[in-house]
Amino acid sequence: MTEADKKRKMIAMILEEERIRQMLCVESIERNLVRQSKSDRDGERVTRAGAGAEEDNSYWEMPWKAEGRACCAPSLGTEHIVDNLLEAAAWLKQRESSADYVYASHVGDESHPANAYWDEAEGHGSEEEKRQWLIRSILADEECRLAMRPCDEMLLRLL
């Protein structure tokens, strides 16, 4: 196996791990919970990723009442938590649509120096240079992660 093949294989593995991390990030989980809650209320059931048809859904449900008696505070039940999240999201959306915002005079001026701060790589370099920069940054992150592995293993042994 050539050095280029090894690098391609490593990059493919890193990209796959990053895809999995993105899938498991908090924002993705929240988005899926809200989507599931909306579809559950509409009478539909959403199949969870990786869940088989034979899986017991009671694992995912946390009712605050079981067999007529309370098993936890009502505020800890799944339904209550989802209702609160949906209510907060609706309130934020309503607040954003009704708010009057005050903008500084330079906000609309593209040539103002304060706006240049946010211009990262737009128009700077070709697509190939951007791609090479991305690959170098991913490899540098992976190198840091691998360098920290002995520390992680040592901490795990201490636990």
Side-chain angles (χ1 to χ4, degrees):
M1 183 177 280
T2 66
E3 189 67 29
D5 290 337
K6 288 180 184 177
K7 285 184 179 181
R8 271 192 223 102
K9 187 175 180 180
M10 178 187 278
I11 289 172
M13 183 182 69
I14 292 169
L15 289 174
E16 178 65 18
E17 288 176 356
E18 185 62 26
R19 185 187 67 77
I20 292 169
R21 272 190 219 97
Q22 291 296 322
M23 189 174 28
L24 297 176
C25 72
V26 173
E27 292 84 10
S28 175
I29 293 171
E30 287 175 345
R31 192 172 40 252
N32 288 339
L33 283 172
V34 169
R35 188 180 309 130
Q36 175 192 353
S37 173
K38 286 179 182 177
S39 66
D40 284 352
R41 289 183 181 176
D42 294 339
E44 300 173 12
R45 293 300 294 180
V46 175
T47 304
R48 290 173 182 84
E54 69 280 348
E55 180 176 303
D56 182 15
N57 284 332
S58 65
Y59 175 82
W60 299 101
E61 303 298 328
M62 294 179 286
W64 67 277
K65 280 189 175 181
E67 300 173 7
R69 62 178 179 78
C71 47
C72 66
S75 61
L76 296 178
T78 305
E79 300 86 11
H80 190 288
I81 293 171
V82 170
D83 287 342
N84 283 346
L85 286 172
L86 290 173
E87 184 179 314
W91 178 79
L92 285 172
K93 188 172 185 175
Q94 186 271 336
R95 187 179 123 207
E96 286 176 0
S97 66
S98 66
D100 292 327
Y101 293 100
V102 177
Y103 295 103
S105 59
H106 69 273
V107 169
D109 183 9
E110 294 286 330
S111 63
H112 193 278
N115 289 332
Y117 177 81
W118 300 106
D119 295 339
E120 289 183 23
E122 286 186 31
H124 302 291
S126 67
E127 288 298 318
E128 182 61 27
E129 289 173 342
K130 291 177 187 177
R131 186 174 165 271
Q132 290 298 324
W133 179 85
L134 176 64
I135 290 171
R136 280 194 304 274
S137 68
I138 290 172
L139 289 173
D141 289 348
E142 184 65 15
E143 186 178 338
C144 290
R145 189 176 349 187
L146 292 175
M148 293 302 296
R149 185 171 284 165
C151 296
D152 292 342
E153 291 170 357
M154 183 181 69
L155 287 173
L156 287 174
R157 274 188 257 126
L158 291 174
L159 295 176

